[in-house]
Amino acid sequence: MTLNIVKFKNIKLLVLIFVIYLISHSLLQAQGWGGKRVASVNVEKVIEQTTSTTKEIRARIVSSAVSSLTPIITGKYKIEKLSIGDNVVKGQVIARLDNSGLIHRIEIQKNHIENNRLILNDAVAQIEGEQEILNINKEQLEILNLKVKRYSELLKTDAVSEQDYENIVSNRLTVMQQLKLREKTIKNLTFKEQQARNNLKRLNLEIKKLREDLKDYEIISPESGQIVFILLNKEGYIRSGDKIAEIQNLDDFEIEAEIPLGFLKNIISSKDILGEDFLGNKVTSTYRATLPFENPRTGTRTVRLKIKDYVYENLTANNAAIFL
């Protein structure tokens, strides 16, 4: 019984060795070890390729036609019921000034004008009165000069006393002093008159300016377009020069692109520069200007292109993409 079991195991071992040999032999033949090697040839289709001499450049839409609305004078303003994104037309009222303060200032200046007119009229009247007295003093001085000359001759012959001579000389000195005082008074009154005239001129100019400001109490849009900025506070005190709103002109857009230095001459010399927006619309533009900006990292210059034909609605926005 034991002998049969041993024989059976030996038979199984021989069968296993034979199977392994067959498998190994088959693999060696498949790899070309032994037997004849079969050659294989692959046929590929010839494809023609064209090397591009153009370059696609991504550009953007820009616009510089933005109007800022600022008040000329400081005051209280009321802004119309407008919001960002609203379209406005040229001449449309954006804000109004509370002109009650201007009217009050004009009335005050009118009062100052009346006061200066009174001062002027009084100065002119005083000058006329002083001038009349001055003329009388001059006549007195002429008479006294003749008397002094005559008394001087009579004093030599003892026809008059020294006391009489001294009295007449003293009278002449008094009149001469009065003349100097009158001249000084007239000079001061003349300065007062000129000062009043200057004040009247200045006040009239100020009133003229205030009246012109009254004409500008309405802030209007200088062009048709779309509001891209407006103050949220619709009523309040606004200083001169502060920005109230910004109006974007929807008819003024052009293309801005960063052009590599190697292609810059081609762009400048090109009659038409073709492009396409995100929607597939064809856009034709022409070279307008090269801006004085260069990117040292990318070696590009900023170029502005003028859109030649119709500007599509989807391109009427700053930073809208376009491919050249």
Side-chain angles (χ1 to χ4, degrees):
M1 186 68 178
T2 303
L3 183 59
N4 292 332
I5 293 173
V6 173
K7 287 181 178 181
F8 181 75
K9 289 182 177 181
N10 290 334
I11 293 171
K12 288 178 64 177
L13 181 60
L14 290 173
V15 172
L16 179 61
I17 292 171
F18 181 75
V19 171
I20 292 173
Y21 170 76
L22 290 176
I23 294 174
S24 300
H25 183 70
S26 299
L27 291 174
L28 288 174
Q29 285 185 342
Q31 294 178 1
W33 294 4
K36 295 183 179 181
R37 181 181 298 176
V38 179
S40 62
V41 178
N42 293 329
V43 179
E44 296 289 343
K45 183 179 179 181
V46 178
I47 301 175
E48 293 184 359
Q49 293 183 346
T50 303
T51 302
S52 175
T53 58
T54 62
K55 184 177 181 65
E56 183 179 82
I57 298 173
R58 182 166 182 171
R60 67 191 184 103
I61 299 295
V62 294
S63 174
S64 57
V66 178
S67 300
S68 295
L69 303 184
T70 58
I72 298 175
I73 58 176
T74 300
K76 185 178 180 182
Y77 286 83
K78 184 176 181 181
I79 302 175
E80 296 296 304
K81 294 181 179 179
L82 297 168
S83 303
I84 293 178
D86 289 349
N87 291 327
V88 294
V89 296
K90 183 178 180 179
Q92 182 173 339
V93 176
I94 306 298
R96 286 184 172 87
L97 170 69
D98 182 1
N99 58 7
S100 59
L102 285 176
I103 295 174
H104 180 66
R105 287 170 59 186
I106 290 175
E107 293 300 321
I108 291 176
Q109 298 298 68
K110 285 182 177 180
N111 183 262
H112 289 331
I113 285 178
E114 292 300 322
N115 290 337
N116 277 274
R117 280 177 180 167
L118 292 174
I119 293 172
L120 176 62
N121 293 335
D122 181 65
V124 171
Q126 289 189 57
I127 290 172
E128 291 177 356
E130 292 293 327
Q131 188 65 49
E132 290 177 0
I133 296 174
L134 179 64
N135 292 334
I136 293 173
N137 291 148
K138 287 180 178 180
E139 292 177 1
Q140 289 177 339
L141 182 61
E142 290 177 2
I143 294 172
L144 289 172
N145 284 334
L146 293 174
K147 282 187 176 182
V148 168
K149 184 177 181 180
R150 186 169 64 254
Y151 273 50
S152 176
E153 296 294 331
L154 293 174
L155 183 62
K156 293 177 181 179
T157 59
D158 294 329
V160 294
S161 64
E162 291 185 2
Q163 183 65 43
D164 291 337
Y165 178 74
E166 291 175 357
N167 289 337
I168 198 66
V169 170
S170 178
N171 291 337
R172 187 179 67 171
L173 292 173
T174 300
V175 173
M176 291 175 66
Q177 183 182 24
Q178 291 177 353
L179 280 173
K180 293 297 181 182
L181 290 174
R182 297 299 175 194
E183 289 175 351
K184 182 179 180 181
T185 300
I186 291 174
K187 185 176 180 180
N188 291 336
L189 289 172
T190 302
F191 174 78
K192 188 177 179 180
E193 176 193 6
Q194 188 60 43
Q195 192 175 40
R197 293 186 186 279
N198 290 340
N199 287 337
L200 285 173
K201 185 177 180 180
R202 176 180 57 81
L203 290 169
N204 283 321
L205 288 175
E206 289 180 358
I207 288 179
K208 182 179 179 181
K209 178 63 169 59
L210 290 172
R211 285 174 175 167
E212 290 177 354
D213 291 341
L214 276 177
K215 296 178 182 178
D216 297 329
Y217 81 100
E218 290 183 338
I219 299 178
I220 61 175
S221 175
E223 59 185 353
S224 298
Q226 189 175 42
I227 296 176
V228 293
F229 168 80
I230 193 167
L231 289 177
L232 296 178
N233 188 6
K234 299 303 181 183
E235 186 172 357
Y237 187 82
I238 302 176
R239 293 177 300 179
S240 174
D242 286 351
K243 184 166 59 177
I244 291 179
E246 283 186 348
I247 309 298
Q248 169 71 63
N249 188 337
L250 298 179
D251 295 326
D252 184 77
F253 288 97
E254 58 184 8
I255 300 172
E256 182 179 275
E258 298 296 324
I259 305 298
L261 295 176
F263 285 87
L264 188 57
K265 290 184 179 180
N266 295 336
I267 291 293
I268 295 175
S269 61
S270 296
K271 182 179 180 181
D272 291 329
I273 302 169
L274 303 180
E276 185 175 297
D277 62 14
F278 266 124
L279 300 180
N281 298 315
K282 303 298 181 181
V283 179
T284 304
S285 59
T286 56
Y287 170 82
R288 187 179 72 80
T290 301
L291 303 186
F293 308 115
E294 182 172 325
N295 190 326
R297 184 177 60 84
T298 59
T300 57
R301 293 285 295 272
T302 304
V303 172
R304 290 289 181 94
L305 308 175
K306 183 178 181 181
I307 299 176
K308 192 173 182 180
D309 300 318
Y310 174 76
V311 179
Y312 294 98
E313 186 176 355
N314 61 297
L315 294 179
T316 58
N318 281 294
N319 298 318
I322 189 169
F323 301 93
L324 303 178

